Amino acid sequence: MHHSLRLLRPVCAATAVALVSTLLISCGGRYIETAGTDTIVSVDQINIQDWSMAADEMVQSLLTSGMLERAPTQPATLAVSRIVNNTTEQVDADYLTRRIRVALNQSGKVMTTTTIGLGDVVEDPLARQLAREYEESGDEQVIRPRPYFTLSGKLLEDRARAGRTRQVTYTFQLALTEVDTGLAVWEDVKDITKQGRRPSVGW
Amino acid sequence: MNRILSPAAPVAGLLVLLLALSGCKSVDTVERINPEAIPDPVADERIVTDPTLRRHITVVEVNRATVSGDLTRVQVRLQNNLRRDRTVQYRFEWYDAEDMFVDSPTSVWRVRTLKGGETIALSDVAPNPRAVDFVLKLQRN
């Protein structure tokens, strides 16, 4: 009897070590796919997948609209205008606009200027400074195509509550304006609604 | 042996029946007998790893079109075979002519809920003209 107990002792110790290791591993951090279904869904804030979903739908809408082909030179040139944030959150709209820009750029349909910006605030001040210097020096090779389109928009939110259930709808509004005519040749609105009883819920 | 039923039993049974019936809510639709649209169907291959999902959701048809000059657009119509709501997660992936994966900065898993008996269309546009083939991934929510 004592002999068998002595034999069992290492087995118990190994099992305990394995259990503790498992617990420690499960408590530690892990990498997950950013665009995957393991991401956290928060009812009280815009999550990374919300930006991606909104950007994806906007890009699809814009590409299928056929409006980008109105530009006389292809790919069409675009400047990003103001994106008004009317949500209660302090968010950087670049999460949305940059994804849209990258997707449109990779589609080969649009190129975005980084040296023209609203209120003279530009994305790449060095490029603009150099271009100005070249222009002032009379360099005829300087070509600065003006944007044919501008992209503007607004972020909105609507909150509702019934008992313990909370709901938030984030509305993404975008418009593509043809600079020459001042007409919004493409507009779209995408709503993302999330509901839950806790601040963070899963998919 | 006489079995005595509690007076609450019929009421409970009725409640269960009512609950079951309230969960079975399907969608009626009206559409043209002869649609004007001329679809460009795509022959598709289906790899099933979740037989339950296959029973619940049917891929009715897959169509393709070209948008913005040279970008492929696909549309997959799904039908919910159940008489209650069914939520699915889905994602489109794109491949070029050499069967290499084409990444997209906006590619993300999405969620759609199909009402009982409802047919919906999921669509996606290729991220660039090189992307010619696609895979639609579906999973239960």
Side-chain angles (χ1 to χ4, degrees):
Chain A
M1 181 75 177
H2 277 287
H3 181 70
S4 60
L5 276 176
R6 209 174 294 147
L7 277 175
L8 272 176
R9 214 170 282 160
V11 176
C12 290
T15 310
V17 168
L19 276 172
V20 170
S21 305
T22 309
L23 280 172
L24 285 174
I25 289 167
S26 61
C27 290
R30 64 185 176 120
Y31 286 106
I32 58 160
E33 192 185 351
T34 309
T37 53
D38 290 332
T39 48
I40 293 168
V41 180
S42 314
V43 179
D44 53 358
Q45 70 180 86
I46 306 176
N47 299 122
I48 193 77
Q49 62 272 24
D50 301 330
W51 296 113
S52 293
M53 285 182 197
D56 185 36
E57 291 189 18
M58 288 294 184
V59 167
Q60 284 193 50
S61 169
L62 188 49
L63 289 175
T64 51
S65 71
M67 286 300 159
L68 293 170
E69 283 94 275
R70 285 172 69 112
T73 54
Q74 295 289 328
T77 45
L78 175 78
V80 178
S81 182
R82 179 178 290 151
I83 308 291
V84 178
N85 175 21
N86 274 2
T87 69
T88 55
E89 289 178 52
Q90 186 75 31
V91 292
D92 190 340
D94 219 25
Y95 275 116
L96 178 73
T97 52
R98 181 66 68 155
R99 278 182 169 78
I100 292 173
R101 278 177 52 178
V102 171
L104 290 175
N105 179 270
Q106 289 184 0
S107 74
K109 305 297 173 191
V110 171
M111 291 185 90
T112 308
T113 175
T114 56
T115 57
I116 296 174
L118 188 69
D120 218 28
V121 178
V122 298
E123 193 177 320
D124 191 340
L126 178 61
R128 189 182 61 172
Q129 184 186 322
L130 290 172
R132 278 185 179 168
E133 285 174 10
Y134 296 156
E135 276 175 337
E136 285 165 9
S137 68
D139 190 342
E140 290 177 356
Q141 288 186 327
V142 177
I143 302 164
R144 297 180 68 187
R146 61 191 184 91
Y148 191 78
F149 295 116
T150 59
L151 189 71
S152 61
K154 189 184 274 189
L155 310 178
L156 302 163
E157 76 175 26
D158 176 77
R159 291 180 182 273
R161 191 167 189 160
R164 289 174 57 207
T165 304
R166 294 189 290 180
Q167 178 179 294
V168 61
T169 299
Y170 293 107
T171 301
F172 302 81
Q173 301 176 341
L174 283 183
L176 185 79
T177 303
E178 194 176 45
V179 175
D180 286 352
T181 61
L183 296 173
V185 292
W186 168 86
E187 289 186 274
D188 210 340
V189 178
K190 298 295 172 195
D191 295 323
I192 291 179
T193 301
K194 298 188 280 190
Q195 200 179 72
R197 293 190 167 188
R198 288 171 291 142
S200 295
V201 293
W203 279 65
Chain B
M1 191 173 83
N2 286 333
R3 294 176 66 193
I4 301 166
L5 271 177
S6 157
V11 179
L14 190 64
L15 275 174
V16 168
L17 186 66
L18 279 174
L19 278 173
L21 285 173
S22 65
C24 294
K25 196 168 57 173
S26 60
V27 173
D28 294 339
T29 57
V30 178
E31 56 189 276
R32 293 170 67 109
I33 293 176
N34 301 310
E36 288 195 359
I38 305 164
D40 183 3
V42 175
D44 61 281
E45 182 185 26
R46 296 160 198 193
I47 298 162
V48 177
T49 58
D50 185 347
T52 307
L53 184 62
R54 184 185 198 174
R55 278 199 309 277
H56 294 178
I57 302 290
T58 301
V59 176
V60 180
E61 62 179 3
V62 183
N63 295 324
R64 71 176 294 282
T66 302
V67 295
S68 207
D70 51 6
L71 295 175
T72 304
R73 183 187 190 197
V74 292
Q75 177 180 274
V76 180
R77 289 170 75 93
L78 302 179
Q79 186 176 27
N80 181 7
N81 301 322
L82 303 173
R83 287 176 57 79
R84 57 181 162 82
D85 291 4
R86 191 77 177 95
T87 303
V88 292
Q89 297 168 2
Y90 72 96
R91 182 185 195 174
F92 283 93
E93 287 182 353
W94 288 88
Y95 294 84
D96 66 14
E98 283 81 43
D99 202 28
M100 301 297 282
F101 176 68
V102 181
D103 199 9
S104 165
T106 58
S107 176
V108 66
W109 279 92
R110 311 173 143 281
V111 174
R112 279 292 295 271
T113 299
L114 293 86
K115 298 281 180 195
E118 188 185 21
T119 301
I120 62 160
L122 309 177
S123 68
D124 199 34
V125 177
N128 61 50
R130 289 183 294 107
V132 289
D133 286 330
F134 76 97
V135 172
L136 170 65
K137 293 183 173 178
L138 276 175
Q139 69 178 34
R140 281 190 271 175
N141 195 29

